[in-house]
Amino acid sequence: MVQYCLFYTLFHFPHSLILTSMPKARRNKNKGITLIKKANNLIESRYKFNQWETRIFTSILVNIKREDTDFRTYRIWYKDIIKMYGLKSGDSYRLLREAAQSLMKKSFFIAYETAEGISRETQYHILRKIDYMQDGQYGDKVENNEYIDIEFEKEMKPWLLELKKNFTTYDIKDIVKLAVYPLRVYELLKQYQSIGRRKLGVEEIKVMFEVTEQYKMFGDFFRWVIKPSVRDINKYTDITVTEVNKIKTGRKVTALEFIFHGKMNANLKEFPKGDLSPLLPIRFKGSDSDHKIPTLSLSIDLEENEKDRLFKEFHKDVVLRFGVTPTVFLQLLNTFNRGQIQQAIEVTNRAKFNQQIKSSIAGFFIHALKGGYTDEKVEAKKRKNRAEELKQYKEELKRLEEQKLKSITEKIKEVTAYNPEVTVKAIEQLTGDVEIKKRVAYKESQMKRALTVEDYRKDNILRDAVIKQIILLEEMTFRVLKRLVRKLTLRNFYNIIHFLLITYSPARFNYIFYGKYIC
């Protein structure tokens, strides 16, 4: 991202956390940034370090100066590594010595392709010489000798010295808590930070990490290498991985696509807080507040994962097309939701197409977002969306009613099956209802006989009356059903009623839906 590119430009100075035989390099006192710089080919090479080998190699890189044209002897103090990585001081110098000894045997394998299309690999030995304190030393002077002097092989110069292009830089404080695999994944993503995504073949990663035999199954590789790496990168470093897409060839996962972005930094300068009116020659009539539908609750501070999703969704339009910096956009995501951002994008796109933006597109977008700017097309879209939502809510009401009636009908069948007399009792107790009594008399006068149970079942009004009476007679049986129906539908019902009440006047609401739902 832009801010990290600025980091590399502004703060690429020699630094040193580890004492060396040479004078200490000056640290940037203002920012406290200690940069590590590697050629991209080295990052993508095939090699496998353990944790202590990684610490030694990183400690050497910290001491390489930008102006160095040749390698020097680098002195790595055990106490400085303990301090840098926040380790326990009780650990032994032996760990440092053994790591240096094993590093002497390690190599980088850098792959390349010939003009004929043949894949080849060059092996580079890393260290030429190490000097360390032997085991079994005791006395007051031992502590003064707990260091190792290290010299690189001269063939390593193209990958570490005088790098002008095709290199990656990062601050050591972002990787000190990373294990071996998370650090490798971090470096691979850091190469593509300005793009925000990178696709890597599964076998390609396995070869680079030398774990092809260790993790033959993709599930094991993803579980033990990728997932912990993403977790630690998000927790400890300056970038956030928002998504890892599994790309398949047939049924086999053959590649992984990482989606990521830089985290906000409190030290970055905020977007200028000035009057943006000169950037906005027009103001569209109407605003979102004219037709705003209130919600039951709205959290201003979005969760991190939601911010990541919104950033990914609108990154192309807001950052790449409009030129809003990632830092400013992340700050806006703390306040504005998806709908507001989408509206501002649409308004900005039309204003740009109509050549109504006479200055900064980024400034226009920000002002349109904060001011809730709208236009006729946006309002037409809102009206269409509200009509669609109303249709969906009506269908949901109908579905809920059908669900309730179905449940009641099934329970009535169960009750009348084990207690056939309950229907007769219910009919007998209906005589106290004046309206029902009149309807029964009218039906009997037409049919010239007394009504049977089947007659009550065929008449909708009489059937509903009998059902209600059965429910009263079998109150304990239907109490459980009532609770179940209420539990299943109450939340959806309240959401539907809330939308309808804020969309229509009470009179209009009653006219449309009176009697459609009985709670």
Side-chain angles (χ1 to χ4, degrees), residues 56-101:
I56 289 180
F57 187 71
T58 303
S59 300
I60 301 173
L61 299 186
V62 166
N63 287 284
I64 295 178
K65 299 180 180 181
R66 182 176 58 180
E67 63 271 16
D68 284 351
T69 58
D70 206 346
F71 289 125
R72 299 173 286 114
T73 299
Y74 301 99
R75 176 162 295 181
I76 309 302
W77 286 89
Y78 171 71
K79 61 182 179 181
D80 286 337
I81 290 186
I82 293 295
K83 181 179 179 180
M84 179 190 299
Y85 289 95
L87 305 175
K88 295 180 180 179
S89 58
D91 290 334
S92 174
Y93 170 82
R94 174 182 55 83
L95 298 173
L96 183 66
R97 179 177 60 248
E98 291 178 354
Q101 290 172 335

Side-chain angles (χ1 to χ4, degrees), residues 15-30:
H15 305 284
S16 176
L17 284 177
I18 313 299
L19 296 176
T20 70
S21 58
M22 302 297 290
K24 289 185 179 180
R26 290 185 299 174
R27 181 196 297 275
N28 187 319
K29 296 181 180 180
N30 293 330

Side-chain angles (χ1 to χ4, degrees), residues 203-264:
E203 292 303 317
E204 178 186 5
I205 302 175
K206 288 183 180 182
V207 169
M208 283 191 286
F209 294 4
E210 293 190 348
V211 295
T212 303
E213 294 300 319
Q214 185 177 355
Y215 298 111
K216 294 182 179 180
M217 301 295 293
F218 171 78
D220 293 336
F221 171 71
F222 193 81
R223 178 183 180 185
W224 299 111
V225 177
I226 301 302
K227 288 184 69 174
S229 297
V230 171
R231 178 197 63 207
D232 291 351
I233 288 171
N234 290 346
K235 184 176 181 179
Y236 298 120
T237 75
D238 58 336
I239 62 176
T240 296
V241 181
T242 59
E243 194 173 344
V244 180
N245 297 320
K246 299 176 183 178
I247 301 172
K248 294 184 177 181
T249 301
R251 299 179 62 182
K252 181 180 180 181
V253 178
T254 56
L256 297 172
E257 182 184 37
F258 297 84
I259 311 297
F260 57 96
H261 62 75
K263 294 177 182 176
M264 294 181 63

Side-chain angles (χ1 to χ4, degrees), residues 352-407:
K352 181 181 177 183
F353 178 80
N354 296 328
Q355 298 182 347
Q356 294 171 304
I357 302 177
K358 298 180 181 179
S359 187
S360 167
I361 299 177
F364 183 96
F365 168 79
I366 293 171
H367 208 63
L369 180 60
K370 292 182 176 180
Y373 278 17
T374 184
D375 58 21
E376 180 54 35
K377 288 191 176 183
V378 170
E379 290 305 311
K381 183 177 180 180
K382 287 182 180 179
R383 288 193 293 269
K384 181 179 179 181
N385 290 340
R386 283 195 292 271
E388 289 293 329
E389 288 175 352
L390 177 58
K391 180 180 177 182
Q392 292 175 6
Y393 287 145
K394 285 182 178 180
E395 292 175 352
E396 180 68 7
L397 276 175
K398 182 179 178 181
R399 186 189 67 80
L400 293 176
E401 177 63 15
E402 291 174 350
Q403 178 184 1
K404 180 178 180 180
L405 292 177
K406 181 180 179 181
S407 300

Side-chain angles (χ1 to χ4, degrees), residues 439-476:
R439 187 167 185 84
V440 170
Y442 173 75
K443 297 284 287 185
E444 287 179 341
S445 65
Q446 282 189 326
M447 303 177 72
K448 298 179 180 181
R449 63 176 174 82
L451 298 184
T452 64
V453 173
E454 186 63 27
D455 294 328
Y456 278 87
R457 187 177 291 114
K458 290 180 178 180
D459 186 284
N460 292 337
I461 295 177
L462 296 179
R463 184 185 67 243
D464 290 344
V466 172
I467 289 175
K468 290 180 181 179
Q469 196 61 40
I470 292 176
I471 292 174
L472 291 175
L473 291 173
E474 299 288 333
E475 182 179 0
M476 293 303 298

Side-chain angles (χ1 to χ4, degrees), residues 217-433:
M217 301 295 293
F218 171 78
D220 293 336
F221 171 71
F222 193 81
R223 178 183 180 185
W224 299 111
V225 177
I226 301 302
K227 288 184 69 174
S229 297
V230 171
R231 178 197 63 207
D232 291 351
I233 288 171
N234 290 346
K235 184 176 181 179
Y236 298 120
T237 75
D238 58 336
I239 62 176
T240 296
V241 181
T242 59
E243 194 173 344
V244 180
N245 297 320
K246 299 176 183 178
I247 301 172
K248 294 184 177 181
T249 301
R251 299 179 62 182
K252 181 180 180 181
V253 178
T254 56
L256 297 172
E257 182 184 37
F258 297 84
I259 311 297
F260 57 96
H261 62 75
K263 294 177 182 176
M264 294 181 63
N265 191 304
N267 295 324
L268 291 176
K269 293 183 179 179
E270 295 184 358
F271 191 84
K273 298 181 179 179
D275 182 14
L276 295 177
S277 299
L279 304 178
L280 303 163
I282 62 171
R283 181 176 181 87
F284 297 96
K285 294 181 179 180
S287 67
D288 189 55
S289 59
D290 296 335
H291 304 283
K292 188 174 182 180
I293 297 177
T295 56
L296 295 175
S297 63
L298 176 62
S299 174
I300 294 179
D301 294 326
L302 298 177
E303 295 181 359
E304 185 67 23
N305 57 353
E306 176 65 15
K307 284 178 60 177
D308 292 339
R309 285 193 290 269
L310 292 177
F311 186 93
K312 172 179 175 291
E313 180 178 352
F314 297 113
H315 175 267
K316 181 178 179 180
D317 286 322
V318 177
V319 177
L320 300 183
R321 292 182 57 246
F322 297 161
V324 177
T325 65
T327 303
V328 173
F329 187 34
L330 284 168
Q331 291 171 345
L332 293 172
L333 290 178
N334 288 328
T335 306
F336 300 99
N337 59 35
R338 174 180 278 99
Q340 293 169 315
I341 296 170
Q342 185 64 54
Q343 175 176 309
I345 290 174
E346 293 176 3
V347 170
T348 303
N349 282 335
R350 277 189 287 275
K352 181 181 177 183
F353 178 80
N354 296 328
Q355 298 182 347
Q356 294 171 304
I357 302 177
K358 298 180 181 179
S359 187
S360 167
I361 299 177
F364 183 96
F365 168 79
I366 293 171
H367 208 63
L369 180 60
K370 292 182 176 180
Y373 278 17
T374 184
D375 58 21
E376 180 54 35
K377 288 191 176 183
V378 170
E379 290 305 311
K381 183 177 180 180
K382 287 182 180 179
R383 288 193 293 269
K384 181 179 179 181
N385 290 340
R386 283 195 292 271
E388 289 293 329
E389 288 175 352
L390 177 58
K391 180 180 177 182
Q392 292 175 6
Y393 287 145
K394 285 182 178 180
E395 292 175 352
E396 180 68 7
L397 276 175
K398 182 179 178 181
R399 186 189 67 80
L400 293 176
E401 177 63 15
E402 291 174 350
Q403 178 184 1
K404 180 178 180 180
L405 292 177
K406 181 180 179 181
S407 300
I408 293 175
T409 302
E410 291 176 352
K411 184 58 67 174
I412 288 290
K413 290 180 180 180
E414 292 179 13
V415 170
T416 55
Y418 75 77
N419 186 9
E421 299 299 324
V422 71
T423 304
V424 177
K425 290 181 181 180
I427 293 175
E428 290 175 352
Q429 294 189 13
L430 288 178
T431 55
D433 189 318

